[in-house]
Amino acid sequence: MLRPTIAQDASAWSHRGDRAALERALLAYSAISPVTSAAAIALARATERPLTAIEEAPLPLGGRERESFAAWQSAASDSRAAGDPSSLLRLVESASPAVPESTTPSAPAEIPPAPLPPEPPRPVATPNRPLSASALNMFVDCRRRWFFRYVCDPIEEPDSSAASYGTAFHAALESFHAEFARPSEELRAEMAQRLDALIVDAFDRARSTFATVVEVKLQTQRARRTAVRYIDWLCERARQLPFEVVGIERRVAPTIGEHQFVGFIDRIDRFDADGSLAVIDYKTGSIAESAKEYRERVRRFEDFQLPFYYWSQEIAGEHVSRLALLPLKDHTLPIVPIELEVVGGGAAPRDNGARGTISILDLERARDRMVEIGDEIRGERIAHFPASDDPEACAYCIYTLSCTARPQPEPERFSR
Ligand code: SF4
């Protein structure tokens, strides 16, 4: 009986052509040794071809493995063509384990060495470096992923188009606000022209991090259109709540509890009216759709980003009155930040779509939880890093190939 995740992978390949799922289906095929499977996967990635289309010649295949691999390629191709995983599943299920082939048939048979006993599990020491809000977020999201990322640190995370877009946009805004600390309606045309030029420069400098030239051009156009929306929002904000940008990509390294934290705040504004601060995080990916949704994530200890920025500034002696996530993903919509006003402990939450409130008590609880997680990470060695039980946590995880404990995705209701 095959593991359900193998059936899911065969289905994802057959119905959607999911290449990562096909790689996992090859690793589950016991007629090929793991070393050979890994070599085939590396070759497919290097040549950017599906595993069903790579040549066998460069692979370290013995005679029987060669036949097994050809049979696997044929079954995978048939499954994809028919949109039906049965052929691939049948083959994987019926496979006998690969046996190393002898190159000297006349050599006397050797008595195979007794298998080594498994190494006893031991608690793991965690690295002693400053904590970050994103590390805490990952720790609560999936400890197994945190273990892969921060303890094993096994692979360089590849650049994705989304990550490259975010990095280039952040760089352009950093330069922009170094020149325009006091945005205003009077400067609108000048600001728009300058930001457009900075976006083009930043994306040009980042072109090697995108997969193709077309991708660079498409993402540059998307960013330029989003920048027009950004200028609209900036002018409106300056009219309603006059402010000065007093921090850009500000490095903060507060000690909270007994732990050293580190992070970078995208932007800090100081309001003219009362001298208080707004901390702003630029978001080029998906974010909460309402202030209430974000506040509830903070309350459930699922997101520490803005609470961490809040405390970094409060500890520095500032008064922070607003926390904002600024969406820079969709050029088709006006920019409407998800913004929380910090209110006293006794105040009932108020929400109005993207705007709402968060109580100082919620922020204190988030700070205390940050310290508790820090204690856990820095304390005694950790004996177990359980995998997440939420399939959504795995959507963008780059360790899916190594993670045999990942939860099953929801059944694909309309896959056939
Ligand atoms: S695949 Fe899922 S369960 Fe496994 S490490 Fe990644 S996020 Fe965690």
Side-chain angles (χ1 to χ4, degrees):
M1 181 70 180
L2 290 173
R3 290 202 308 272
T5 47
I6 297 173
Q8 294 280 358
D9 286 337
S11 176
W13 160 251
S14 306
H15 296 131
R16 299 198 309 271
D18 183 333
R19 291 191 188 188
L22 185 65
E23 290 177 357
R24 293 191 290 271
L26 180 60
L27 288 167
Y29 180 47
S30 59
I32 307 268
S33 74
V35 172
T36 309
S37 298
I41 290 167
L43 180 64
R45 289 183 183 181
T47 55
E48 297 184 354
R49 305 179 71 187
L51 279 161
T52 49
I54 59 168
E55 305 289 341
E56 300 164 4
L59 297 174
L61 293 162
R64 277 195 296 278
E65 271 197 323
R66 190 172 298 284
E67 284 168 22
S68 301
F69 185 59
W72 182 89
Q73 284 187 308
S74 168
S77 298
D78 290 351
S79 284
R80 178 71 184 122
D84 178 352
S86 309
S87 307
L88 184 56
L89 280 173
R90 263 197 307 276
L91 187 77
V92 173
E93 192 163 23
S94 63
S96 326
V99 179
E101 292 175 36
S102 170
T103 52
T104 54
S106 58
E110 287 180 20
I111 300 169
L116 292 172
E119 202 176 324
R122 280 174 303 186
V124 173
T126 53
N128 188 22
R129 58 182 177 217
L131 300 164
S132 66
S134 50
L136 296 194
N137 287 350
M138 190 182 288
F139 194 79
V140 294
D141 213 24
C142 177
R143 291 184 183 206
R144 181 71 55 97
R145 185 176 182 182
W146 186 92
F147 167 74
F148 286 141
R149 168 71 181 79
Y150 290 97
V151 180
C152 307
D153 201 7
I155 50 176
E156 187 99 346
E157 298 206 6
D159 289 321
S160 67
S161 175
S164 301
Y165 174 87
T167 305
F169 211 136
H170 276 67
L173 286 177
E174 183 178 357
S175 305
F176 173 76
H177 281 298
E179 295 177 30
F180 293 93
R182 272 204 170 274
S184 68
E185 184 62 43
E186 294 69 46
L187 296 173
R188 175 188 282 270
E190 191 185 338
M191 290 194 302
Q193 196 177 26
R194 186 65 185 133
L195 182 55
D196 187 61
L198 288 168
I199 293 269
V200 171
D201 274 1
F203 278 75
D204 189 46
R205 281 197 306 277
R207 61 185 178 281
S208 64
T209 64
F210 289 93
T212 63
V213 175
V214 173
E215 188 74 13
V216 185
K217 290 194 182 305
L218 287 173
Q219 297 298 351
T220 307
Q221 287 309 319
R222 177 180 155 215
R224 293 176 72 185
R225 291 188 187 120
T226 307
V228 173
R229 302 276 190 185
Y230 182 80
I231 296 293
D232 289 344
W233 170 75
L234 209 53
C235 291
E236 180 62 17
R237 175 81 158 191
R239 191 182 65 74
Q240 288 182 353
L241 291 167
F243 66 92
E244 179 179 6
V245 178
V246 293
I248 318 161
E249 294 293 327
R250 165 94 52 91
R251 183 180 189 277
V252 289
T255 300
I256 304 178
E258 293 180 352
H259 304 298
Q260 177 81 59
F261 284 79
V262 71
F264 290 85
I265 304 179
D266 289 336
R267 204 176 99 199
I268 304 174
D269 295 349
R270 188 182 298 285
F271 295 114
D272 292 354
D274 61 3
S276 67
L277 300 184
V279 292
I280 295 173
D281 197 35
Y282 300 141
K283 290 291 180 194
T284 50
S286 301
I287 61 171
E289 291 183 0
S290 68
K292 181 178 179 187
E293 184 185 332
Y294 185 73
R295 184 184 59 239
E296 294 311 309
R297 286 183 58 78
V298 172
R299 281 180 161 176
R300 292 195 302 266
F301 307 129
E302 293 172 358
D303 196 311
F304 295 100
Q305 202 85 42
L306 292 183
F308 167 60
Y309 294 160
Y310 173 87
W311 286 111
S312 75
Q313 294 308 290
E314 289 281 326
I315 288 169
E318 296 285 2
H319 169 49
V320 179
S321 59
R322 286 169 186 258
L323 312 170
L325 302 172
L326 196 69
L328 297 172
K329 181 184 176 190
D330 191 344
H331 65 270
T332 63
L333 299 171
I335 287 177
V336 181
I338 300 296
E339 188 155 16
L340 292 169
E341 187 182 343
V342 182
V343 294
R350 280 182 284 115
D351 295 301
N352 183 12
R355 288 199 179 171
T357 60
I358 186 165
S359 120
I360 184 69
L361 293 180
D362 288 331
L363 292 167
E364 285 172 355
R365 279 193 281 266
R367 178 197 58 195
D368 295 346
R369 183 72 189 122
M370 286 168 64
V371 173
E372 280 173 15
I373 295 174
D375 290 344
E376 189 177 348
I377 291 173
R378 290 277 175 271
E380 291 297 308
R381 291 165 169 236
I382 300 178
H384 183 49
F385 294 88
S388 170
D389 54 12
D390 177 6
E392 283 191 18
C394 312
Y396 300 104
C397 178
I398 59 169
Y399 305 112
T400 48
L401 269 181
S402 316
C403 181
T404 52
R406 68 184 188 284
Q408 291 178 51
E410 293 294 321
E412 296 172 27
R413 287 191 210 162
F414 304 109
S415 60
R416 299 191 64 174

Coordinates of all heavy atoms in Angstrom, one line a residue, residues 139-212:
F139 N 8.8 29.6 13.2 CA 8.8 28.7 14.3 C 7.4 28.3 14.7 O 7.1 27.1 15.0 CB 9.6 29.3 15.5 CG 9.9 28.3 16.5 CD1 11.0 27.4 16.4 CD2 9.2 28.2 17.7 CE1 11.3 26.5 17.4 CE2 9.5 27.3 18.7 CZ 10.6 26.4 18.5
V140 N 6.5 29.3 14.7 CA 5.1 29.0 15.1 C 4.3 28.3 13.9 O 3.4 27.6 14.1 CB 4.3 30.2 15.6 CG1 4.9 30.7 16.9 CG2 4.3 31.3 14.6
D141 N 4.8 28.7 12.7 CA 4.1 28.1 11.5 C 4.4 26.6 11.3 O 3.5 25.8 11.1 CB 4.6 28.9 10.3 CG 3.5 29.1 9.3 OD1 2.4 29.0 9.6 OD2 3.9 29.3 8.1
C142 N 5.7 26.3 11.4 CA 6.1 24.9 11.2 C 7.5 24.7 11.8 O 8.5 25.2 11.2 CB 6.1 24.5 9.7 SG 6.7 22.8 9.5
R143 N 7.6 24.0 12.9 CA 8.9 23.9 13.5 C 9.9 23.0 12.7 O 11.1 23.2 12.7 CB 8.7 23.2 14.9 CG 8.1 24.2 15.8 CD 7.9 23.6 17.2 NE 7.2 24.6 18.0 CZ 7.3 24.8 19.3 NH1 8.1 24.0 20.0 NH2 6.6 25.7 19.9
R144 N 9.3 22.1 11.9 CA 10.2 21.3 11.1 C 10.9 22.2 10.0 O 12.0 22.1 9.8 CB 9.3 20.2 10.4 CG 10.1 19.3 9.4 CD 10.9 18.3 10.2 NE 10.2 17.6 11.2 CZ 9.7 16.4 11.1 NH1 9.9 15.7 9.9 NH2 9.1 15.7 12.0
R145 N 10.1 23.1 9.4 CA 10.7 24.0 8.5 C 11.7 24.9 9.1 O 12.8 25.2 8.5 CB 9.5 24.9 7.8 CG 10.0 25.8 6.7 CD 8.8 26.5 6.1 NE 9.2 27.3 5.0 CZ 8.4 28.1 4.3 NH1 7.1 28.1 4.7 NH2 8.8 28.8 3.3
W146 N 11.4 25.4 10.3 CA 12.4 26.2 11.1 C 13.7 25.4 11.3 O 14.8 26.0 11.1 CB 11.8 26.6 12.4 CG 12.6 27.6 13.2 CD1 12.5 29.0 13.1 CD2 13.7 27.3 14.1 NE1 13.5 29.5 14.0 CE2 14.2 28.5 14.6 CE3 14.2 26.1 14.6 CZ2 15.2 28.6 15.5 CZ3 15.3 26.2 15.5 CH2 15.8 27.4 15.9
F147 N 13.5 24.1 11.6 CA 14.7 23.3 11.8 C 15.5 23.2 10.5 O 16.8 23.4 10.5 CB 14.2 21.9 12.3 CG 15.3 20.8 12.2 CD1 16.3 20.8 13.2 CD2 15.3 19.9 11.2 CE1 17.3 19.8 13.1 CE2 16.3 18.9 11.2 CZ 17.3 18.9 12.2
F148 N 14.9 23.0 9.4 CA 15.6 22.9 8.1 C 16.3 24.2 7.8 O 17.4 24.2 7.4 CB 14.6 22.6 7.0 CG 14.1 21.2 6.9 CD1 12.8 20.9 6.6 CD2 14.9 20.1 7.2 CE1 12.3 19.6 6.6 CE2 14.5 18.8 7.1 CZ 13.2 18.5 6.8
R149 N 15.5 25.3 8.0 CA 16.1 26.6 7.6 C 17.2 27.1 8.6 O 18.2 27.6 8.1 CB 14.9 27.6 7.6 CG 15.2 29.1 7.4 CD 15.8 29.4 6.1 NE 16.2 30.8 5.9 CZ 17.3 31.3 6.4 NH1 18.2 30.5 7.0 NH2 17.6 32.6 6.3
Y150 N 16.9 27.0 9.9 CA 17.8 27.7 10.8 C 18.8 26.8 11.5 O 19.8 27.3 12.0 CB 17.0 28.5 11.8 CG 16.3 29.7 11.3 CD1 15.0 29.6 10.9 CD2 17.0 30.9 11.0 CE1 14.3 30.7 10.3 CE2 16.4 32.0 10.5 CZ 15.0 31.9 10.1 OH 14.4 33.0 9.6
V151 N 18.6 25.5 11.5 CA 19.6 24.6 12.1 C 20.4 23.9 11.1 O 21.6 24.0 11.1 CB 18.9 23.6 13.0 CG1 19.9 22.7 13.7 CG2 18.0 24.3 14.1
C152 N 19.7 23.3 10.1 CA 20.5 22.6 9.0 C 21.0 23.6 8.0 O 22.1 23.4 7.5 CB 19.6 21.6 8.3 SG 18.7 20.5 9.4
D153 N 20.2 24.6 7.7 CA 20.6 25.6 6.6 C 21.2 24.9 5.4 O 22.3 25.2 5.0 CB 21.7 26.5 7.2 CG 21.7 27.9 6.5 OD1 20.9 28.0 5.6 OD2 22.6 28.7 6.8
P154 N 20.5 23.9 4.8 CA 21.1 23.0 3.9 C 21.2 23.6 2.5 O 22.1 23.2 1.7 CB 20.1 21.8 3.8 CG 18.8 22.4 4.2 CD 19.0 23.6 5.0
I155 N 20.3 24.4 2.1 CA 20.4 24.9 0.7 C 20.1 26.4 0.6 O 19.5 27.0 1.5 CB 19.3 24.2 -0.2 CG1 17.9 24.3 0.5 CG2 19.6 22.8 -0.5 CD1 16.8 23.7 -0.4
E156 N 20.7 27.0 -0.4 CA 20.5 28.4 -0.7 C 19.1 28.5 -1.2 O 18.8 27.8 -2.2 CB 21.5 28.8 -1.7 CG 21.5 30.2 -2.0 CD 22.7 31.0 -1.3 OE1 23.3 30.4 -0.4 OE2 22.9 32.1 -1.7
E157 N 18.3 29.3 -0.6 CA 16.9 29.5 -1.1 C 17.0 30.2 -2.5 O 17.6 31.2 -2.6 CB 16.1 30.3 -0.1 CG 16.0 29.5 1.2 CD 14.7 29.9 2.0 OE1 13.8 30.6 1.4 OE2 14.6 29.4 3.1
P158 N 16.4 29.5 -3.5 CA 16.6 30.1 -4.8 C 15.8 31.4 -4.9 O 14.8 31.6 -4.3 CB 16.0 29.1 -5.8 CG 15.1 28.2 -4.9 CD 15.6 28.3 -3.5
D159 N 16.2 32.4 -5.8 CA 15.5 33.6 -6.0 C 14.2 33.2 -6.7 O 14.2 32.5 -7.7 CB 16.3 34.5 -6.9 CG 17.5 35.1 -6.2 OD1 17.3 35.5 -5.1 OD2 18.5 35.3 -6.9
S160 N 13.1 33.8 -6.2 CA 11.8 33.6 -7.0 C 11.5 34.9 -7.6 O 12.1 36.0 -7.2 CB 10.7 33.2 -6.1 OG 10.4 34.2 -5.2
S161 N 10.7 34.9 -8.6 CA 10.3 36.2 -9.2 C 9.7 37.1 -8.2 O 10.0 38.3 -8.2 CB 9.3 35.9 -10.4 OG 8.9 37.0 -11.0
A162 N 8.8 36.6 -7.3 CA 8.2 37.4 -6.3 C 9.2 38.0 -5.4 O 9.1 39.2 -5.1 CB 7.2 36.6 -5.6
A163 N 10.2 37.2 -5.0 CA 11.2 37.8 -4.1 C 12.0 38.9 -4.8 O 12.3 39.9 -4.2 CB 12.1 36.7 -3.5
S164 N 12.4 38.6 -6.0 CA 13.2 39.6 -6.8 C 12.4 40.9 -6.9 O 12.9 42.0 -6.8 CB 13.6 39.1 -8.1 OG 14.3 37.9 -8.0
Y165 N 11.1 40.8 -7.2 CA 10.2 42.0 -7.3 C 10.3 42.8 -6.0 O 10.4 44.0 -6.0 CB 8.8 41.5 -7.7 CG 7.8 42.6 -7.7 CD1 7.5 43.3 -8.8 CD2 7.0 42.9 -6.6 CE1 6.5 44.4 -8.9 CE2 6.0 43.9 -6.6 CZ 5.8 44.6 -7.7 OH 4.9 45.6 -7.7
G166 N 10.1 42.1 -4.9 CA 10.1 42.7 -3.6 C 11.4 43.4 -3.3 O 11.4 44.6 -2.9
T167 N 12.5 42.8 -3.6 CA 13.8 43.3 -3.3 C 14.0 44.6 -4.1 O 14.5 45.6 -3.6 CB 14.9 42.3 -3.6 OG1 14.6 41.1 -2.8 CG2 16.3 42.8 -3.2
A168 N 13.7 44.5 -5.4 CA 14.0 45.7 -6.3 C 13.1 46.8 -5.9 O 13.5 48.0 -5.8 CB 13.7 45.3 -7.7
F169 N 11.8 46.5 -5.5 CA 10.9 47.6 -5.2 C 11.3 48.3 -3.9 O 11.3 49.5 -3.8 CB 9.5 47.1 -5.1 CG 8.4 48.1 -5.4 CD1 7.3 47.7 -6.2 CD2 8.4 49.4 -5.0 CE1 6.3 48.6 -6.6 CE2 7.4 50.3 -5.4 CZ 6.4 49.9 -6.1
H170 N 11.7 47.5 -2.9 CA 12.2 48.0 -1.6 C 13.4 49.0 -1.9 O 13.5 50.0 -1.3 CB 12.7 46.9 -0.7 CG 11.6 46.3 0.1 ND1 10.5 45.6 -0.5 CD2 11.3 46.3 1.4 CE1 9.7 45.2 0.5 NE2 10.1 45.6 1.7
A171 N 14.3 48.5 -2.8 CA 15.5 49.3 -3.0 C 15.2 50.7 -3.7 O 15.7 51.7 -3.3 CB 16.5 48.6 -4.0
A172 N 14.2 50.6 -4.6 CA 13.8 51.9 -5.2 C 13.1 52.8 -4.2 O 13.4 54.0 -4.2 CB 12.8 51.6 -6.4
L173 N 12.3 52.3 -3.3 CA 11.6 53.2 -2.3 C 12.7 53.7 -1.3 O 12.5 54.8 -0.8 CB 10.5 52.4 -1.6 CG 9.3 52.2 -2.4 CD1 8.3 51.3 -1.7 CD2 8.6 53.5 -2.8
E174 N 13.7 52.9 -1.0 CA 14.7 53.4 -0.1 C 15.4 54.6 -0.7 O 15.5 55.7 0.0 CB 15.7 52.3 0.2 CG 16.8 52.7 1.2 CD 17.8 51.5 1.5 OE1 17.6 50.4 0.9 OE2 18.7 51.8 2.2
S175 N 15.8 54.6 -1.9 CA 16.4 55.7 -2.6 C 15.4 56.9 -2.7 O 15.8 58.0 -2.5 CB 16.9 55.3 -4.0 OG 17.8 54.2 -3.9
F176 N 14.2 56.5 -3.0 CA 13.2 57.6 -3.2 C 13.0 58.4 -1.9 O 13.0 59.7 -2.0 CB 11.9 56.9 -3.6 CG 10.7 57.9 -3.7 CD1 10.6 58.8 -4.8 CD2 9.7 57.9 -2.7 CE1 9.5 59.7 -4.9 CE2 8.7 58.8 -2.8 CZ 8.6 59.7 -3.9
H177 N 12.8 57.7 -0.8 CA 12.5 58.5 0.4 C 13.8 59.2 1.0 O 13.6 60.1 1.9 CB 11.8 57.6 1.4 CG 10.3 57.5 1.1 ND1 9.5 58.5 1.1 CD2 9.6 56.4 0.8 CE1 8.3 58.1 0.7 NE2 8.3 56.8 0.5
A178 N 14.9 58.7 0.6 CA 16.1 59.5 1.0 C 16.1 60.8 0.3 O 16.6 61.8 0.9 CB 17.4 58.7 0.6
E179 N 15.5 60.9 -0.8 CA 15.3 62.2 -1.5 C 14.1 63.0 -1.1 O 14.0 64.2 -1.1 CB 15.4 62.0 -3.0 CG 16.7 61.5 -3.5 CD 16.6 61.2 -5.0 OE1 15.8 61.9 -5.7 OE2 17.3 60.3 -5.5
F180 N 13.0 62.2 -0.9 CA 11.7 62.9 -0.5 C 11.3 62.4 0.8 O 10.5 61.5 1.0 CB 10.7 62.5 -1.6 CG 10.9 63.0 -3.0 CD1 11.7 62.3 -3.9 CD2 10.5 64.3 -3.3 CE1 11.9 62.7 -5.1 CE2 10.8 64.8 -4.6 CZ 11.5 64.0 -5.5
A181 N 11.7 63.2 1.9 CA 11.4 62.8 3.2 C 10.0 63.5 3.6 O 9.4 63.0 4.5 CB 12.4 63.3 4.2
R182 N 9.7 64.6 2.9 CA 8.4 65.3 3.2 C 7.6 65.3 1.9 O 7.5 66.3 1.2 CB 8.7 66.7 3.6 CG 8.9 66.8 5.1 CD 8.6 68.2 5.6 NE 8.6 68.2 7.0 CZ 7.6 67.9 7.8 NH1 6.4 67.6 7.2 NH2 7.6 68.0 9.1
P183 N 6.9 64.2 1.6 CA 6.0 64.2 0.4 C 4.9 65.2 0.5 O 4.4 65.5 1.6 CB 5.4 62.8 0.5 CG 6.2 62.0 1.4 CD 6.8 63.0 2.4
S184 N 4.5 65.7 -0.6 CA 3.4 66.7 -0.6 C 2.8 66.7 -2.0 O 3.4 66.3 -3.0 CB 3.9 68.1 -0.2 OG 4.7 68.6 -1.2
E185 N 1.6 67.3 -2.0 CA 0.9 67.4 -3.3 C 1.7 68.3 -4.3 O 1.7 68.0 -5.5 CB -0.5 68.0 -3.1 CG -1.4 68.1 -4.3 CD -1.7 66.8 -4.9 OE1 -2.0 65.8 -4.1 OE2 -1.7 66.6 -6.1
E186 N 2.3 69.3 -3.8 CA 3.1 70.2 -4.6 C 4.2 69.5 -5.4 O 4.6 69.9 -6.5 CB 3.7 71.4 -3.8 CG 2.7 72.4 -3.2 CD 1.9 71.7 -2.1 OE1 2.5 71.1 -1.2 OE2 0.7 71.9 -2.1
L187 N 4.7 68.4 -4.7 CA 5.8 67.7 -5.3 C 5.4 66.5 -6.2 O 6.2 65.7 -6.6 CB 6.8 67.2 -4.2 CG 7.5 68.3 -3.4 CD1 8.2 67.6 -2.2 CD2 8.5 69.0 -4.2
R188 N 4.1 66.4 -6.3 CA 3.6 65.1 -7.0 C 4.3 64.8 -8.3 O 4.8 63.7 -8.5 CB 2.1 65.3 -7.2 CG 1.5 64.1 -8.0 CD 0.0 64.3 -8.3 NE -0.9 64.2 -7.2 CZ -1.5 63.0 -6.9 NH1 -1.3 61.9 -7.7 NH2 -2.3 62.9 -5.9
A189 N 4.3 65.7 -9.2 CA 4.9 65.4 -10.5 C 6.3 65.1 -10.4 O 6.8 64.1 -11.0 CB 4.7 66.6 -11.5
E190 N 7.1 65.8 -9.6 CA 8.5 65.5 -9.4 C 8.7 64.2 -8.8 O 9.6 63.4 -9.2 CB 9.1 66.6 -8.5 CG 10.6 66.7 -8.5 CD 11.1 67.7 -7.5 OE1 10.4 68.7 -7.2 OE2 12.2 67.5 -7.0
M191 N 7.9 63.9 -7.8 CA 8.0 62.6 -7.1 C 7.7 61.4 -8.0 O 8.4 60.4 -8.1 CB 7.1 62.5 -5.9 CG 7.5 63.4 -4.7 SD 6.6 63.1 -3.2 CE 4.9 63.2 -3.6
A192 N 6.7 61.6 -8.8 CA 6.2 60.5 -9.7 C 7.3 60.2 -10.7 O 7.7 59.0 -11.0 CB 4.9 60.9 -10.4
Q193 N 7.9 61.3 -11.3 CA 9.0 61.1 -12.3 C 10.2 60.4 -11.7 O 10.8 59.5 -12.3 CB 9.3 62.5 -12.8 CG 10.1 62.5 -14.1 CD 10.4 63.9 -14.6 OE1 10.4 64.8 -13.8 NE2 10.5 64.0 -15.9
R194 N 10.6 60.9 -10.5 CA 11.8 60.3 -9.8 C 11.6 58.9 -9.4 O 12.5 58.1 -9.6 CB 12.1 61.2 -8.6 CG 13.4 60.8 -8.0 CD 14.6 61.1 -8.9 NE 15.8 60.6 -8.3 CZ 16.7 59.9 -8.9 NH1 16.6 59.6 -10.2 NH2 17.8 59.6 -8.3
L195 N 10.4 58.6 -8.9 CA 10.2 57.2 -8.4 C 10.2 56.2 -9.7 O 10.7 55.1 -9.6 CB 8.9 57.0 -7.6 CG 8.6 55.6 -7.1 CD1 9.7 55.1 -6.3 CD2 7.3 55.6 -6.3
D196 N 9.6 56.7 -10.7 CA 9.6 55.9 -12.0 C 11.0 55.6 -12.4 O 11.3 54.4 -12.7 CB 8.8 56.6 -13.1 CG 8.6 55.7 -14.3 OD1 8.0 54.7 -14.2 OD2 9.2 56.1 -15.3
A197 N 11.9 56.6 -12.4 CA 13.3 56.4 -12.8 C 14.0 55.4 -11.9 O 14.7 54.6 -12.3 CB 14.0 57.7 -12.9
L198 N 13.7 55.6 -10.6 CA 14.4 54.7 -9.6 C 13.9 53.3 -9.7 O 14.7 52.3 -9.5 CB 14.1 55.2 -8.2 CG 14.9 56.5 -7.8 CD1 14.3 57.1 -6.5 CD2 16.4 56.3 -7.7
I199 N 12.6 53.1 -10.0 CA 12.1 51.7 -10.2 C 12.8 51.1 -11.4 O 13.3 49.9 -11.3 CB 10.6 51.8 -10.5 CG1 9.8 52.2 -9.3 CG2 10.1 50.4 -11.0 CD1 9.4 51.2 -8.3
V200 N 12.9 51.8 -12.5 CA 13.6 51.3 -13.7 C 15.0 50.9 -13.4 O 15.5 49.8 -13.7 CB 13.5 52.3 -14.9 CG1 14.3 51.8 -16.1 CG2 12.0 52.5 -15.3
D201 N 15.7 51.8 -12.7 CA 17.1 51.5 -12.3 C 17.2 50.3 -11.4 O 18.1 49.4 -11.6 CB 17.7 52.7 -11.5 CG 18.2 53.8 -12.4 OD1 18.2 53.6 -13.6 OD2 18.7 54.8 -11.8
A202 N 16.4 50.2 -10.4 CA 16.5 49.1 -9.4 C 16.2 47.8 -10.1 O 16.9 46.8 -9.8 CB 15.5 49.3 -8.3
F203 N 15.2 47.7 -11.0 CA 14.9 46.5 -11.7 C 15.9 46.1 -12.7 O 16.2 44.9 -12.9 CB 13.5 46.5 -12.3 CG 12.4 46.2 -11.3 CD1 12.0 47.2 -10.4 CD2 11.8 45.0 -11.3 CE1 11.0 46.9 -9.4 CE2 10.8 44.7 -10.3 CZ 10.4 45.6 -9.4
D204 N 16.6 47.1 -13.3 CA 17.7 46.8 -14.2 C 18.9 46.2 -13.4 O 19.5 45.2 -13.9 CB 18.1 48.1 -14.9 CG 19.0 47.8 -16.0 OD1 18.8 46.9 -16.8 OD2 20.1 48.5 -16.1
R205 N 19.1 46.8 -12.3 CA 20.3 46.2 -11.5 C 19.9 44.8 -11.0 O 20.9 44.0 -10.8 CB 20.5 47.1 -10.2 CG 21.3 48.4 -10.5 CD 21.8 48.9 -9.2 NE 20.8 49.1 -8.1 CZ 20.0 50.2 -8.1 NH1 20.2 51.2 -8.9 NH2 19.1 50.3 -7.1
A206 N 18.6 44.5 -10.8 CA 18.3 43.2 -10.3 C 18.0 42.2 -11.4 O 17.5 41.1 -11.1 CB 17.0 43.3 -9.4
R207 N 18.3 42.5 -12.7 CA 17.8 41.7 -13.8 C 18.4 40.2 -13.7 O 17.7 39.3 -14.1 CB 18.1 42.3 -15.1 CG 19.6 42.5 -15.5 CD 19.7 43.3 -16.8 NE 21.1 43.6 -17.1 CZ 21.8 44.6 -16.5 NH1 21.2 45.4 -15.7 NH2 23.1 44.7 -16.8
S208 N 19.6 40.1 -13.2 CA 20.2 38.7 -13.1 C 19.4 37.8 -12.1 O 19.6 36.6 -12.2 CB 21.6 38.8 -12.7 OG 21.7 39.3 -11.4
T209 N 18.6 38.4 -11.3 CA 17.9 37.6 -10.3 C 16.5 37.1 -10.8 O 15.8 36.3 -10.2 CB 17.6 38.3 -9.0 OG1 16.8 39.4 -9.2 CG2 18.9 38.8 -8.4
F210 N 16.1 37.6 -12.0 CA 14.9 37.1 -12.7 C 15.3 36.0 -13.6 O 16.4 35.9 -14.2 CB 14.2 38.2 -13.4 CG 13.6 39.2 -12.5 CD1 14.3 40.4 -12.1 CD2 12.3 39.0 -12.0 CE1 13.7 41.3 -11.3 CE2 11.7 40.0 -11.1 CZ 12.4 41.1 -10.8
A211 N 14.3 35.1 -13.9 CA 14.6 33.9 -14.7 C 14.8 34.3 -16.2 O 15.7 33.7 -16.9 CB 13.5 32.9 -14.6
T212 N 14.1 35.2 -16.7 CA 14.2 35.6 -18.1 C 14.1 37.1 -18.3 O 13.7 37.8 -17.4 CB 13.0 34.9 -18.9 OG1 11.8 35.5 -18.4 CG2 12.9 33.4 -18.7

